[in-house]
Amino acid sequence: MRQRSTFPRLLGPLLLLAAGLSTLGAAGPTGTPGAPAPGTPRPLGAIVPAPASVTPGGAPYTLTRATAVRLGTDDPETRGIGGYLAALLRPSTGYPLPVVDADAARGGILLRLSQRSAALGEEGYELRAGSGGVTLTAHRPAGLFRGVQTLRQQLPAAVEKRTVQPGPWRIAGGTVTDFPRYAYRGAMLDVSRHFFTVDQVKRYIDQLALYKVNKLHLHLSDDQGWRIAVDSWPRLATYGGSTQVGGGPGGHYTKDDYKEIVRYAASRYQEVVPEIDLPGHTNAALASYAELNCDGVAPPLYTGTNVGFSSLCVPKEITYAFVDDVIRELAALTPGRYLHIGGDEAHSTSHADYTAFMDRVQPLVARYGKTVIGWHQLTGARPADGALAQYWGLDRSSAAEKEQVAAAGRNGTGVILSPADRAYLDMKYTKDTKLGLAWAGYVEVQRSYDWDPATLLPGLPPSAVAGVEAPLWTETISESAHIDQMAFPRLPGIAELGWSPASTHDWEAYRHRLAAQGPRLDNLGIDFHRSPQVPWAAE
Ligand code: ACM
């Protein structure tokens, strides 16, 4: 899964470091360290996630009323990305920013796909800026989209405002050549414990896009709510989705709602990874259909926050007819590669039953053309060929548990790293954090960022690391403002671990780059946690 680097890995970080140092040294006219003079462009590469390679140099490009977004490639995706870029820039610049064919204008911002740039891979890009214009080159449209996020972050934070701002709108001169360290860079939203509307999910998708996240994992079912319509078992959504933690009305996605989420995520080059958590975490399903219970009696709906008390009935045949229907219908709604089948905290399922269940269910995922992802307890059964295991252990997890996952990795199971004491966005930052839980400990910004996916699990071959994911469980989270407070600013750090080469990893440098994100988040209306570990800058 790990993408191979075809670029020098040492040169870029050195140049980046040089760029970063020159920013820190620059004092504005008011003498504030770190505040550049008005109109000084943000140093090339001083963004999150850190680019793989940065070569600053030459004059900046200044956007003007005459700037056009030029398409060097005649394909609808590039046109869509050009439209997205222009729509980002128009409100704050007040410029018309027409999206035109390359030969209809000169200079400006050129987006082009190049067959000769195969080394950039699926998501890599090159950004070249100089006084005459900016050129973004990629091999694939996803690379252009990631490059647009870089271009956006090179502009002043005021670009994120939705009303006309004074500018100037300068992009530092030089070249960024960039591509991800890992192919899997995810964020998970638990829409089961509390339901989130399509618009709330889209808001999160847009936030994730800024940090080059490429997987949106939706935790669609749990004890407290079933959130996706299944035609062959309609009560799952209509009854099983009718409440949530605390007893509110819950909700569910119709198939059209879900397709709209998938479409919107795809427009931000994010693949939706749907999860149906099995065989535990299934009270909402068991409450909806009495026949799924071993004793034939449906339990009541559940609105508390305990875990581990529910299980599908492993010996009953109807269980597999049910799972087959659910997986078939969900796979049909899913253009992405993966289907997540949960598998965590099955404390009410015996080990023998758990293994028997996974032996029958994983082939159903393959039958409908998808690749299995499971929480790392799946490695205690027999992960299917090609399956990915999502590790959510802690530093203090037992050596045996870590070794079980590492051994699976040595046997060919890819591992997504979501260590709960670092990557879980629902953990409190400190004892004073109002939202969130603390069972994995307090996770301040440094702790969240300061680890290396390649070495977290002893004995796991670095080549087995598929990537990273930041899950957000929602027992205590019920509004977009809560997501903002818990995801920011930790999500950008996890996104950086997934994207940036290990050689750029440095907390001191990172916390300054992150500080510069503060005004941008403010302008986006994201009320983030103002961690005292980060020297937040005013812009
Ligand atoms: C989990 O946090 N139960 C995956």
Side-chain angles (χ1 to χ4, degrees), residues 214-531:
N214 71 353
K215 301 284 184 280
L216 175 69
H217 168 186
L218 290 175
H219 185 76
L220 290 169
S221 72
D222 212 303
D223 292 319
Q224 297 86 347
W226 186 286
R227 305 301 180 201
I228 179 74
V230 177
D231 295 336
S232 43
W233 298 76
R235 270 174 63 81
L236 291 170
T238 58
Y239 181 70
S242 66
T243 192
Q244 61 186 358
V245 166
H252 71 268
Y253 305 121
T254 65
K255 287 192 169 178
D256 282 345
D257 289 339
Y258 190 77
K259 286 180 195 161
E260 177 59 13
I261 292 173
V262 168
R263 182 201 68 75
Y264 196 78
S267 77
R268 273 67 178 145
Y269 293 86
Q270 291 167 32
E271 177 177 350
V272 175
V273 178
E275 178 187 356
I276 298 295
D277 202 346
L278 305 169
H281 288 280
T282 43
N283 188 78
L286 296 166
S288 303
Y289 288 96
E291 59 268 42
L292 292 176
N293 295 270
C294 282
D295 63 3
V297 179
L301 293 170
Y302 182 68
T303 61
T305 59
N306 289 336
V307 298
F309 60 87
S310 56
S311 179
L312 289 177
C313 186
V314 173
K316 266 191 169 175
E317 266 320 292
I318 193 172
T319 295
Y320 305 97
F322 164 77
V323 173
D324 188 297
D325 287 337
V326 168
I327 290 177
R328 185 186 67 253
E329 291 196 32
L330 193 53
L333 290 172
T334 302
R337 280 157 284 186
Y338 302 109
L339 209 146
H340 200 309
I341 56 172
D344 58 322
E345 295 175 315
H347 305 322
S348 300
T349 317
S350 70
H351 181 69
D353 274 1
Y354 182 86
T355 302
F357 179 84
M358 289 302 181
D359 283 349
R360 284 198 66 176
V361 165
Q362 293 180 93
L364 299 179
V365 175
R367 175 188 301 169
Y368 298 112
K370 301 300 170 191
T371 296
V372 168
I373 303 180
W375 296 105
H376 75 256
Q377 284 70 24
L378 180 63
T379 61
R382 285 178 280 264
D385 282 351
L388 299 182
Q390 186 168 7
Y391 176 73
W392 59 283
L394 320 175
D395 281 1
R396 65 166 191 267
S397 293
S398 71
E401 183 170 5
K402 292 175 184 169
E403 171 52 22
Q404 178 185 295
V405 181
R410 295 194 295 274
N411 267 326
T413 298
V415 178
I416 299 162
L417 293 164
S418 300
D421 53 353
R422 298 183 184 271
Y424 270 29
L425 300 176
D426 59 311
M427 289 300 116
K428 291 178 183 290
Y429 295 94
T430 70
K431 67 176 178 21
D432 297 323
T433 308
K434 291 202 176 60
L435 299 165
L437 304 175
W439 59 263
Y442 300 123
V443 182
E444 250 290 10
V445 178
Q446 181 173 6
R447 180 166 179 81
S448 175
Y449 165 83
D450 224 351
W451 57 284
D452 180 3
T455 58
L456 182 85
L457 270 182
L460 179 68
S463 60
V465 177
V468 297
E469 184 176 291
L472 179 51
W473 301 98
T474 60
E475 286 93 336
T476 67
I477 308 296
S478 57
E479 300 171 13
S480 286
H482 298 165
I483 298 178
D484 292 359
Q485 190 53 217
M486 300 308 276
F488 294 93
R490 290 179 293 196
L491 182 278
I494 302 299
E496 171 147 325
L497 292 178
W499 180 279
S500 305
S503 53
T504 63
H505 189 92
D506 175 51
W507 165 249
E508 257 321 293
Y510 175 69
R511 72 191 192 99
H512 285 94
R513 271 185 294 111
L514 181 60
Q517 298 291 310
R520 193 168 299 273
L521 296 175
D522 280 335
N523 292 342
L524 287 165
I526 299 174
D527 183 16
F528 59 97
H529 166 62
R530 279 158 223 270
S531 167

Side-chain angles (χ1 to χ4, degrees), residues 15-79:
L15 292 165
L16 180 69
L17 186 63
L21 288 175
S22 66
T23 358
L24 296 180
T30 57
T32 319
T40 303
R42 174 180 306 285
L44 199 69
I47 63 168
V48 178
S53 166
V54 180
T55 311
Y61 176 67
T62 306
L63 269 73
T64 69
R65 186 157 295 284
T67 299
V69 175
R70 298 167 55 221
L71 308 175
T73 308
D74 181 26
D75 88 300
E77 280 195 66
T78 303
R79 187 166 296 278

